[in-house]
Amino acid sequence: MPKALLIIDYTNDFVAPTGALTAGAPAQAIAPRIVELASQFVTAHDFVYLPTDVHTPHDPYHPESKLFPPHNVRGSWGRELFGPLAPWYAEHQGANVVLFDKTRYSSFAGTPLDLWLRERDVTEVHLVGVCTDICVLHTAVDAYNLNYPLTIHQDAVATFKPGGQEWALDHFKTCLNATIA
Ligand code: ZN
């Protein structure tokens, strides 16, 4: 049955050393593994989605405006894919490899992702990217609520928060019944 890999928020602002909300070295270190997994999914004729945060700076109506400095502004360097994922996406983008906008932590909130997965009979969702305990976590919770079996690749997720990685991996496993690969 078809599977989908979600590469969450792997952009300069969240990953690069000078990104606005960078998760730093742990996030940079997972780049080769993310690209490796993405290539495996393409080779297997499975699906690769890149749910990517997008914001208007200082939007008075957006809840994140009270929490974080401006990040992932549309058209900015910060919203470009980080490192080797950028040329990988440029080469592979198409019907089965799709970057799309999201404006909340979860990749399902206000996006067509659930419809796309159902149209394609996707029965298994794999998660990689950043941050493990924020956008990956909220996406995992929504996938769980929608009944998608989940796999989290622990060598391809990262966060900036001390203890956040361990806490989230435990939560995926013990509360969302996820496979930790
Ligand atoms: Zn955001």
Side-chain angles (χ1 to χ4, degrees):
M1 293 298 276
K3 298 184 292 186
L5 177 71
L6 307 190
I7 303 173
I8 298 169
D9 283 341
Y10 204 68
T11 64
N12 287 325
D13 267 347
F14 289 114
V15 180
T18 54
L21 277 182
T22 186
Q28 293 148 27
I30 62 178
R33 180 61 179 148
I34 288 177
V35 169
E36 182 181 36
L37 281 165
S39 293
Q40 286 173 9
F41 272 67
V42 165
T43 302
H45 304 291
D46 285 317
F47 299 95
V48 177
Y49 290 107
L50 297 92
T52 303
D53 222 14
V54 67
H55 292 295
T56 303
H58 310 295
D59 177 353
Y61 300 108
H62 197 290
E64 283 180 34
S65 298
K66 298 182 187 71
L67 293 166
F68 301 111
H71 59 279
N72 268 40
V73 174
R74 191 183 296 284
S76 69
W77 168 84
R79 195 175 181 250
E80 291 173 14
L81 295 171
F82 174 79
L85 188 59
W88 185 91
Y89 177 70
E91 187 185 334
H92 292 94
Q93 64 174 304
N96 291 12
V97 178
V98 177
L99 184 149
F100 65 93
D101 295 348
K102 71 178 181 68
T103 67
R104 296 297 188 273
Y105 302 141
S106 171
S107 305
F108 290 93
T111 76
L113 179 58
D114 183 44
L115 296 175
W116 291 343
L117 297 178
R118 289 176 196 281
E119 285 168 350
R120 288 154 182 77
D121 294 323
V122 168
T123 52
E124 203 180 303
V125 172
H126 291 239
L127 303 184
V128 300
V130 296
C131 290
T132 318
D133 51 348
I134 306 177
C135 288
V136 178
L137 173 71
H138 285 250
T139 298
V141 170
D142 277 350
Y144 172 83
N145 289 336
L146 292 164
N147 228 23
Y148 289 105
L150 272 173
T151 297
I152 317 289
H153 295 265
Q154 63 178 326
D155 55 356
V157 291
T159 185
F160 60 94
K161 261 190 183 172
Q165 182 86 349
E166 296 69 26
W167 179 87
L169 290 172
D170 179 70
H171 188 84
F172 295 140
K173 192 175 166 186
T174 59
C175 296
L176 305 182
N177 199 26
T179 300
I180 308 298

